[in-house]
Amino acid sequence: MKMFAVFGNPIKHSKSPIIHQLFAQQTGVLQNYRKIYVPINNFYKKFFYFFKNGGIGANITIPFKKRAYKLCDILTKRAKYSGVVNTIKILNSKKILGDNTDGVGLLKDLQNLKFINTKSNILLIGAGGAAQGIIYPLIKFGCNITIINRTYQNTKKIIKFFKNIKNINSLKEEDLFSISNKFKYNLIINATSSSIKGNIPNIPSSIIKPDVFCYDLFYNFNNTPFLKWCIIHGAKRISDGIGMLIEQAAYSFYLWHGIMPNTKIIIKKYKKYN
Ligand code: ATR
């Protein structure tokens, strides 16, 4: 049976194996997909061990997406332009192909939710691999993105990475606080890992207008701390990242098997909001 896995830290609560199992059942594909916990400094060792022992594809999650990018022989356009890889496929030539399905997966979910249009003004919170991985498809779609992050130095690194791309700019946290009334964002995306430890990023509540869409890349059983905070401050349309997770998984599945699963049924099963 073809072997696949998701590599990450933490990984215990990952829903990827169950999503891929549902795709496999739906499409009749036979595959074995499991979680692999990777100690922070052991990514390369675990990665090559898996592929030397029959693995043919993998998803890569927090915090290894930038490291995965570096070890690919070939990159898809969307991986190359984002600088991070969340999907690996071993080609017949044994070369490592890297793709990034996070950005397209998020865009698809935002479109399903009607949270986005080609003129959306987006406030993107966070400047790590997760944030970097979703920027390119959103800009290509036509949106404007403003990045804000706890550490401004990391914001500057992302801006530098996308230096040839228009429609992307940054703000310091304190600037967003001092001029928040001047800005109107249509969509606020939390791409920080703050929810993992039950924290929320530091943004002014005045940017939460009743018609703003609030999206957290993170997901858990209840609303994430960020989404709870948005609701308290008046947000009416919110979503966690479960739809994105399912959509990005579908693009990975397509890369591996050439079959696009039907995501709608699975999203309906898992999503708290419609
Ligand atoms: P990932 O690859 O998942 O994005 P990462 O590269 O470690 O992981 O980045 C995590 C992001 O979450 C960063 O933007 C980080 O902010 P810093 O650049 O200041 O470290 C952000 N983050 C993590 N915990 C946070 C918290 N409690 N409040 C605000 N931002 C937080």
Side-chain angles (χ1 to χ4, degrees):
M1 203 181 288
K2 290 178 177 171
M3 268 180 15
F4 299 85
V6 55
F7 292 77
N9 182 345
I11 199 67
K12 202 169 152 202
H13 300 292
S14 170
K15 287 195 164 48
S16 291
I18 183 130
I19 292 167
H20 279 278
Q21 192 190 335
L22 292 170
F23 289 166
Q25 278 166 6
Q26 193 191 84
T27 57
V29 165
L30 286 177
Q31 67 168 12
N32 176 324
Y33 185 112
R34 62 194 163 99
K35 299 174 202 178
I36 296 183
Y37 170 81
V38 183
I40 292 297
N41 294 317
N42 246 348
F43 178 64
Y44 295 109
K45 202 171 155 193
K46 287 267 183 187
F47 181 90
F48 285 109
Y49 182 85
F50 178 72
F51 288 108
K52 276 193 182 128
N53 287 282
I56 57 168
N59 286 126
I60 312 296
T61 187
I62 291 172
F64 302 113
K65 293 179 188 183
K66 283 190 186 169
R67 277 186 246 179
Y69 173 88
K70 287 189 188 143
L71 55 75
C72 293
D73 301 308
I74 305 167
L75 293 164
T76 62
K77 198 172 161 190
R78 57 193 182 203
K80 187 173 162 203
Y81 287 128
S82 65
V84 287
V85 156
N86 79 325
T87 308
I88 296 281
K89 181 180 182 178
I90 304 298
L91 302 176
N92 291 338
S93 61
K94 300 285 172 221
K95 289 212 153 84
I96 303 170
L97 172 70
D99 192 7
N100 183 340
T101 67
D102 283 332
V104 278
L106 171 65
L107 180 59
K108 181 88 187 293
D109 193 40
L110 291 171
Q111 287 177 296
N112 294 343
L113 289 160
K114 303 197 172 33
F115 271 24
I116 198 166
N117 64 53
T118 52
K119 295 197 169 48
S120 295
N121 231 344
I122 302 175
L123 181 69
L124 176 62
I125 315 167
Q132 188 170 322
I134 58 170
I135 289 171
Y136 175 68
L138 297 180
I139 297 272
K140 214 172 145 228
F141 187 62
C143 304
N144 263 300
I145 295 187
T146 302
I147 305 177
I148 178 139
N149 187 50
R150 183 176 62 178
T151 311
Y152 189 60
Q153 196 62 26
N154 293 339
T155 315
K156 286 205 294 198
K157 280 188 200 157
I158 293 210
I159 295 290
K160 196 173 163 200
F161 183 84
F162 290 105
K163 62 179 181 299
N164 297 322
I165 295 182
K166 286 182 200 151
N167 298 353
I168 180 164
N169 55 72
S170 65
L171 271 180
K172 287 185 180 163
E173 264 186 6
E174 60 264 33
D175 292 340
L176 186 63
F177 274 89
S178 61
I179 50 178
S180 63
N181 282 329
K182 284 194 201 147
F183 287 101
K184 181 159 171 20
Y185 296 103
N186 311 107
L187 170 64
I188 302 172
I189 300 176
N190 180 24
T192 72
S193 51
S194 60
S195 290
I196 294 178
K197 290 192 178 148
N199 299 318
I200 50 166
N202 187 27
I203 56 166
S205 56
S206 52
I207 60 163
I208 308 289
K209 316 278 189 231
D211 59 345
V212 73
F213 299 112
C214 299
Y215 194 97
D216 198 332
L217 298 196
F218 191 69
Y219 60 87
N220 62 15
F221 185 69
N222 296 309
N223 279 339
T224 67
F226 170 70
L227 293 177
K228 282 184 190 158
W229 180 87
C230 292
I231 293 168
I232 289 169
H233 292 99
K236 301 271 183 278
R237 298 291 308 277
I238 57 157
S239 178
D240 66 14
I242 191 74
M244 171 189 170
L245 182 79
I246 294 166
E247 295 293 359
Q248 65 78 28
Y251 285 104
S252 298
F253 192 88
Y254 181 77
L255 183 82
W256 297 329
H257 305 294
I259 306 168
M260 197 66 182
N262 181 338
T263 51
K264 281 211 172 92
I265 312 162
I266 300 172
I267 290 179
K268 212 170 170 184
K269 188 171 165 185
Y270 281 98
K271 207 144 191 170
K272 295 192 269 296
Y273 337 89
N274 286 303

